[in-house]
Amino acid sequence: MSSLTLHDVRITGAEGSRNYINDEYGALSWLLTKDHKRIAILYLISITIMFLLGGSFAVIMRVELLTPEGDLLTSDTYNKMFTLHGIVMIFFFLIPVIPAILGNFILPIQLGAKDFAFPKINLLSWYLYIFAAAVGLYVIITGGVDTGWTFYTPFSTQYSNTHVIGVTFAGFIAGFSSILTGLNFIVTIHRMRAPGLTWYRLPLFVWALYATSVVMLLATPVLAITLVMLMFERFTGIGIFNPAIGGDPVLYQHMFWFYSHPAVYIMILPAMGVASEVVAAFTRKKIFGYRFVAFSSLGIAFLGFLVWAHHLFVAGISVYSALIFAFLSFFVAVPSAIKVFNWTATLYKASVSWATPMLYILGFIGLFTIGGVTGLFLAALGLDIHVHDTYFVVAHFHYVMVGGTVMAYLAGIHYWWPKITGRMYNEFWARLAALLVFVGFNLTFFPQFILGYLGMPRRYHAYAPEFQVLNVMSTAGASILAVGYALPLIYLGFSLRFGRKAGVNPWGAVGLEWTTSSPPPKHNFEETPVVTWDAYDYPAMMKAVGETQNV
Amino acid sequence: MADISVTEHHHSDHAPTHHVTPLWQYLLVFFALAVGTVLTVVASRFDLGMWNTPIALFIATVKATLVILFFMHVIHSTRLTWVVVIGSFLWLGVLFVLTFADYLTRSWSLY
Ligand SMILES: [Cu+2]
């Protein structure tokens, strides 16, 4: 096995010795664990289940939309399908997926720490997630909910006769799970860095998770209080948001989007962090403009708070504030573009490896760019009025969320899979799956840009016959995408038993996580590492490798 | 806070200095909060016109500040804690200011 011992960090544990997986046995040793790595595995299993659930709602919708008539589902059932798809995918998949799985596993190791600052709180946040998911599942089984994932008032507080209180309560609880995760990350990054690991030596994944955690801490409480007010109004009939009883429905939208726009950055910032790690590892280069990429994460986190009312352009807000929000929304493009340009500059003249994580990240960069640029279309006041509530919006945010976050998550899980499990997956099947995901994704969502521009509204189970061809294309793409997502479940599962041993550092990457054994021992390192080098010190490594080859 | 598993080398250099607050200080703050409550009730008995809400909010703000500074120990905390506290209120300010930017300009004519 290749085990480059650069930087004189002592490699812990010979292969086959004790690690976090075989250190203890039995269900309780997992369910009561305080080990961040085991908690990451708990999240991996539960979030994957929620992804399959949310995906199945999408499949049902795409099958319904094969024909212009509403023949498979009633309009009421269709309303529940898109609502549940949105709620499950956003609150139970996209928000936690990268921080809670990859962040939980990798962050303390990248810091050279034994665990998070608050290991018990880390476990608590998983239990809160599970409790919220259980409430959500109860709602789904007992009839679902039909408000859309945004729970707009007064429909949600007065007119809907589905389980609004149950599902908003689930969202409320899930919010606390993410607040605790953010808190733990921030304290850990401040207090638990290995000696010598200064802020500017941190991997960019850590910077990205730090920015994400700030957003989680500052935005999520506003969602919590908004949902409480919603439940309160529905329960007591005292008017807060419902104009019929003295409330203000636009106030609900202001407060909801004060959380939910920054939530977009909770989903995409960690993805950008994964992209930086993978681009550096598979080009063998330092990330071009390290500080720009690091601070652009904080810039996005900050600016992301100042743009929320671009969701309210047709809701009756003042034209003057709409102007300001449109202007501020354009501004977020700047730090996002800084990242894209810096990744591209890193790729320039590099010998790029076509390993699976890199394939996903190349897809990520392109798809995120399309998603981001179409976001600028929507931030433009005049154009937004034309495409508002059409499939153009649906296509835009799926390019960001699926083309961006899901692609980067898949890149990250492939990149760190050898570290997490100690095994290599089958590269052929993995590349094939990456290709299928890319092709399937574009075939699913690109036609939706055209549909939306032509005027097809979102959230209807029936549509005008002239839209059918593009809808059939979209459904065909969705089935390819489904195969692309199913494949990793199979070959990654297979690798657990039949994959070859990964060794300490299968990619020849730098970073503290690649200096400890795979899977890592219970306390990550045998002795606390002392860091004397910058992040992505690939030039030094290439030099070291050259020297050993000359011997 | 018992489960902070700080790595060895971090023990001394960051550990916050523990300040023990004397009991009389807590009692004094409690007394001030009680006075604030009485003042709020008294103020509500008089019709002060446009000053009704500002005065109630002012008393509430003073009380909240006392709680944050003394009961939550912020006054003896590190600079970083101050940054977090002030930052949180700035963020709340963002929510208020930009929301009111909508409500207060709705009546403005377009041209
Ligand atoms: Cu937005």
Side-chain angles (χ1 to χ4, degrees):
Chain A
M1 259 332 80
S2 63
S3 51
L4 292 165
T5 47
L6 180 72
H7 298 143
D8 289 336
V9 176
R10 216 171 75 202
I11 306 294
T12 43
E15 273 174 46
S17 70
R18 295 213 156 244
N19 56 54
Y20 79 98
I21 298 171
N22 63 17
D23 192 66
E24 280 177 279
Y25 291 97
L28 274 187
S29 77
W30 284 86
L31 293 175
L32 298 177
T33 184
K34 279 168 270 162
D35 184 338
H36 67 100
K37 301 181 286 302
R38 285 191 163 205
I39 295 171
I41 302 293
L42 293 176
Y43 268 118
L44 173 67
I45 296 165
S46 31
I47 290 175
T48 305
I49 292 171
M50 294 312 270
F51 177 71
L52 295 176
L53 184 67
S56 61
F57 295 129
V59 168
I60 296 170
M61 277 190 284
R62 280 318 324 166
V63 174
E64 163 63 65
L65 292 172
L66 266 176
T67 59
E69 302 81 28
D71 32 23
L72 180 67
L73 309 171
T74 63
S75 48
D76 278 340
T77 315
Y78 187 81
N79 289 348
K80 289 178 182 175
M81 287 301 124
F82 69 69
T83 302
L84 294 171
H85 170 67
I87 291 170
V88 170
M89 285 305 203
I90 288 169
F91 293 114
F92 295 100
F93 175 73
L94 287 164
I95 298 263
V97 61
I98 297 179
I101 300 174
L102 301 175
N104 248 323
F105 198 100
I106 296 299
L107 178 66
I109 308 182
Q110 283 194 331
L111 296 177
K114 287 180 182 144
D115 208 310
F116 281 106
F118 308 114
K120 285 179 189 160
I121 289 182
N122 198 18
L123 182 64
L124 174 65
S125 83
W126 181 71
Y127 273 103
L128 287 173
Y129 174 85
I130 290 298
F131 179 51
V135 175
L137 288 176
Y138 172 79
V139 166
I140 291 168
I141 291 165
T142 55
V145 64
D146 67 348
T147 58
W149 79 277
T150 52
F151 314 118
Y152 269 17
T153 56
F155 180 72
S156 61
T157 54
Q158 186 170 4
Y159 301 105
S160 171
N161 50 14
T162 55
H163 296 279
V164 180
I165 291 195
V167 85
T168 44
F169 180 66
F172 177 80
I173 300 295
F176 278 93
S177 169
S178 94
I179 289 173
L180 292 184
T181 301
L183 178 78
N184 221 339
F185 282 18
I186 288 178
V187 176
T188 305
I189 294 169
H190 273 277
R191 301 296 300 274
M192 310 273 291
R193 281 173 284 126
L197 189 53
T198 56
W199 284 87
Y200 290 129
R201 284 175 178 169
L202 288 173
L204 289 163
F205 186 53
V206 177
W207 278 94
L209 286 177
Y210 186 81
T212 309
S213 304
V214 171
V215 181
M216 283 172 161
L217 271 188
L218 290 171
T220 318
V222 178
L223 174 76
I225 194 69
T226 309
L227 293 181
V228 167
M229 291 198 283
L230 188 160
M231 289 185 262
F232 183 76
E233 177 174 296
R234 188 175 166 91
F235 206 67
T236 65
I238 293 171
I240 302 171
F241 302 127
N242 183 354
I245 45 178
D248 181 350
V250 180
L251 180 66
Y252 174 82
Q253 297 183 23
H254 271 297
M255 296 187 68
F256 180 81
W257 288 109
F258 183 82
Y259 164 77
S260 292
H261 185 85
V264 172
Y265 300 107
I266 297 178
M267 306 179 220
I268 199 70
L269 277 168
M272 293 166 156
V274 173
S276 298
E277 297 298 301
V278 170
V279 165
F282 292 99
T283 57
R284 293 278 182 275
K285 282 171 79 176
K286 275 193 177 179
I287 286 286
F288 185 84
Y290 169 92
R291 290 192 186 200
F292 281 94
V293 179
F295 280 107
S296 62
S297 285
L298 296 177
I300 289 172
F302 174 70
L303 290 171
F305 274 97
L306 309 179
V307 302
W308 75 82
H310 60 217
H311 297 269
L312 281 66
F313 283 164
V314 298
I317 61 169
S318 121
V319 194
Y320 294 98
S321 77
L323 271 173
I324 292 170
F325 275 108
F327 181 72
L328 290 169
S329 300
F330 287 138
F331 250 81
V332 193
V334 176
S336 309
I338 286 176
K339 283 186 191 283
V340 171
F341 285 129
N342 279 294
W343 293 323
T344 313
T346 313
L347 291 169
Y348 179 66
K349 281 189 175 174
S351 64
V352 180
S353 149
W354 304 104
T356 309
M358 192 64 198
L359 292 183
Y360 276 114
I361 287 303
L362 290 172
F364 164 88
I365 295 175
L367 298 180
F368 169 73
T369 304
I370 296 177
V373 170
T374 51
L376 292 178
F377 292 29
L378 291 166
L381 267 174
L383 190 54
D384 181 67
I385 287 162
H386 176 67
V387 292
H388 177 85
D389 255 346
T390 68
Y391 266 86
F392 192 90
V393 180
V394 176
H396 152 70
F397 69 75
H398 280 87
Y399 264 78
V400 178
M401 302 285 79
V402 185
T405 307
V406 179
M407 292 289 270
Y409 166 64
L410 288 170
I413 199 77
H414 283 87
Y415 178 55
W416 283 304
W417 186 259
K419 184 54 61 185
I420 295 171
T421 65
R423 301 283 183 160
M424 298 303 289
Y425 49 82
N426 182 299
E427 185 69 24
F428 169 78
W429 287 104
R431 285 187 191 173
L432 181 67
L435 186 71
L436 287 178
V437 167
F438 185 77
V439 172
F441 172 83
N442 281 294
L443 188 56
T444 309
F445 291 107
F446 198 80
Q448 296 186 5
F449 277 127
I450 305 169
L451 281 170
Y453 200 78
L454 294 174
M456 179 172 166
R458 59 192 286 206
R459 295 179 165 175
Y460 284 91
H461 75 319
Y463 54 84
E466 65 262 33
F467 296 136
Q468 187 172 12
V469 174
L470 288 165
N471 269 294
V472 170
M473 285 169 73
S474 183
T475 301
S479 31
I480 298 175
L481 193 56
V483 176
Y485 286 151
L487 273 180
L489 286 176
I490 299 167
Y491 65 74
L492 288 178
F494 211 71
S495 77
L496 291 177
R497 189 154 181 85
F498 303 105
R500 66 185 165 80
K501 290 244 163 59
V504 170
N505 187 1
W507 309 121
V510 299
L512 284 176
E513 77 267 35
W514 303 110
T515 64
T516 186
S517 53
S518 314
K522 189 175 181 189
H523 293 297
N524 298 344
F525 301 95
E526 206 155 74
E527 53 187 63
T528 305
V530 178
V531 181
T532 54
W533 57 89
D534 286 345
Y536 314 119
D537 200 7
Y538 285 101
M541 192 200 73
M542 297 307 277
K543 221 176 124 212
V545 174
E547 278 162 11
T548 38
Q549 279 169 350
N550 290 339
V551 173
Chain B
M1 301 285 276
D3 55 14
I4 299 189
S5 43
V6 184
T7 41
E8 295 80 30
H9 54 274
H10 268 163
H11 265 314
S12 49
D13 45 334
H14 285 297
T17 46
H18 274 285
H19 181 92
V20 183
T21 317
L23 187 64
W24 62 263
Q25 216 176 63
Y26 283 124
L27 290 173
L28 200 68
V29 174
F30 174 75
F31 181 71
L33 291 175
V35 170
T37 309
V38 173
L39 274 178
T40 313
V41 175
V42 172
S44 72
R45 300 289 165 103
F46 297 93
D47 188 7
L48 304 163
M50 66 164 292
W51 293 99
N52 279 329
T53 312
I55 285 180
L57 278 177
F58 175 75
I59 301 171
T61 309
V62 172
K63 287 167 66 182
T65 312
L66 286 175
V67 170
I68 292 166
L69 286 180
F70 294 99
F71 286 178
M72 295 171 77
H73 304 273
V74 170
I75 198 159
H76 299 297
S77 296
T78 56
R79 280 240 191 88
L80 188 61
T81 311
W82 279 86
V83 170
V84 170
V85 172
I86 294 169
S88 308
F89 280 101
L90 283 179
W91 242 257
L92 197 62
V94 169
L95 173 62
F96 284 3
V97 168
L98 284 179
T99 302
F100 281 115
D102 166 22
Y103 283 95
L104 299 178
T105 59
R106 278 193 201 167
S107 54
W108 293 8
S109 61
L110 249 187
Y111 297 106

